[in-house]
Amino acid sequence: DADVTQTPRNRITKTGKRIMLECSQTKGHDRMYWYRQDPGLGLRLIYYSFDVKDINKGEISDGYSVSRQAQAKFSLSLESAIPNQTALYFCATSRTSGTGELFFGEGSRLTVL
Amino acid sequence: GDSVTQMEGPVTLSEEAFLTINCTYTATGYPSLFWYVQYPGEGLQLLLKATKADDKGSNKGFEATYRKETTSFHLEKGSVQVSDSAVYFCALRINQAGTALIFGKGTTLSVSS
């Protein structure tokens, strides 16, 4: 079983719909992240959380919100999806100490029509 | 701000050719540097890392040396295989509290037999 699990893996939705992407981890890490990947743009950080009570905006947080329900769970919401939010979304975790190495889930592909 | 610049791809090579993917960085502090690899349909996984100047990271025949004087962390492999076909991301993390990884845009490598 994957250490970092993302659901759903694929989702097609319509403009204006609310979407939630969920992430759970069994690695026992305190830190969790949401990135989006777009062709030619690499990975860009949306939100990150260093513990259950800590939420931080990343480079591209507009149009997104997050919830850290527990140490192991970090969900990303699109309140009103728009087509330019079509992308591949990755959840990642890391230890509090150490070099900051990230451990990634397998990604959630979202298409907004 | 802090950033990573990678050579643009795609890079197309024949099996057993020598590979170099250039990566340079801009950072306000002293970062840790990483190379991640993304195989088709998968999430990113750490390939190698270096935490201080002159360190050499290595894994699976890939190497990269942290060069502070040229602010570079170029990825090399002496003899590529078809199975090395993937997207490669250079990333940095400033070694201070409250920071996340910053990624380059990725370089696609395609190796043919």
Side-chain angles (χ1 to χ4, degrees), chain B residues 18-70:
Chain B
F18 183 84
L19 169 70
T20 299
I21 300 178
N22 290 337
C23 172
T24 57
Y25 67 88
T26 301
T28 53
Y30 298 98
S32 293
L33 299 172
F34 305 81
W35 276 101
Y36 279 80
V37 59
Q38 182 182 29
Y39 298 105
E42 299 183 10
L44 281 72
Q45 55 186 276
L46 181 68
L47 181 59
L48 52 83
K49 65 183 179 184
T51 59
K52 62 183 186 298
D54 299 325
D55 272 0
K56 177 184 282 187
S58 61
N59 186 26
K60 299 181 181 180
F62 290 88
E63 294 183 339
T65 301
Y66 188 159
R67 302 285 188 197
K68 183 180 175 182
E69 63 276 12
T70 54

Side-chain angles (χ1 to χ4, degrees), chain A residues 3-4 25 27-33 35 49-50 91-105, chain B residues 31-37 44-51 58-60 89 91-96 99-103:
Chain A
D3 295 322
V4 183
Q25 54 115 345
K27 299 190 74 67
H29 292 167
D30 285 327
R31 299 184 173 190
M32 299 186 73
Y33 310 79
Y35 287 87
S49 169
F50 282 359
C91 175
T93 73
S94 70
R95 298 182 184 88
T96 299
S97 59
T99 59
E101 174 187 348
L102 295 180
F103 297 83
F104 283 83
Chain B
S32 293
L33 299 172
F34 305 81
W35 276 101
Y36 279 80
V37 59
L44 281 72
Q45 55 186 276
L46 181 68
L47 181 59
L48 52 83
K49 65 183 179 184
T51 59
S58 61
N59 186 26
K60 299 181 181 180
F89 292 91
L92 70 82
R93 177 181 177 268
I94 301 300
N95 292 322
Q96 64 186 40
T99 59
L101 257 67
I102 298 169
F103 286 86

Side-chain angles (χ1 to χ4, degrees), chain A residues 1-65:
Chain A
D1 289 342
D3 295 322
V4 183
T5 302
Q6 294 183 229
T7 56
R9 294 291 312 280
N10 288 284
R11 181 73 182 270
I12 299 173
T13 191
K14 294 182 179 180
T15 298
K17 294 292 187 181
R18 183 177 189 275
I19 295 297
M20 178 179 288
L21 305 180
E22 298 184 334
C23 177
S24 63
Q25 54 115 345
T26 59
K27 299 190 74 67
H29 292 167
D30 285 327
R31 299 184 173 190
M32 299 186 73
Y33 310 79
W34 277 104
Y35 287 87
R36 67 176 277 177
Q37 183 180 16
D38 299 276
L41 296 179
L43 270 76
R44 292 180 291 166
L45 183 62
I46 306 172
Y47 272 96
Y48 59 105
S49 169
F50 282 359
D51 64 42
V52 175
K53 297 180 181 180
D54 175 75
I55 300 290
N56 303 281
K57 292 183 178 181
E59 178 186 357
I60 53 163
S61 59
D62 286 351
Y64 301 95
S65 62

Side-chain angles (χ1 to χ4, degrees), chain A residues 37-44, chain B residues 4-9 38 87-91 102-108:
Chain A
Q37 183 180 16
D38 299 276
L41 296 179
L43 270 76
R44 292 180 291 166
Chain B
V4 175
T5 302
Q6 291 181 235
M7 63 184 287
E8 292 190 16
Q38 182 182 29
V87 182
Y88 293 82
F89 292 91
C90 186
I102 298 169
F103 286 86
K105 294 183 179 181
T107 303
T108 299

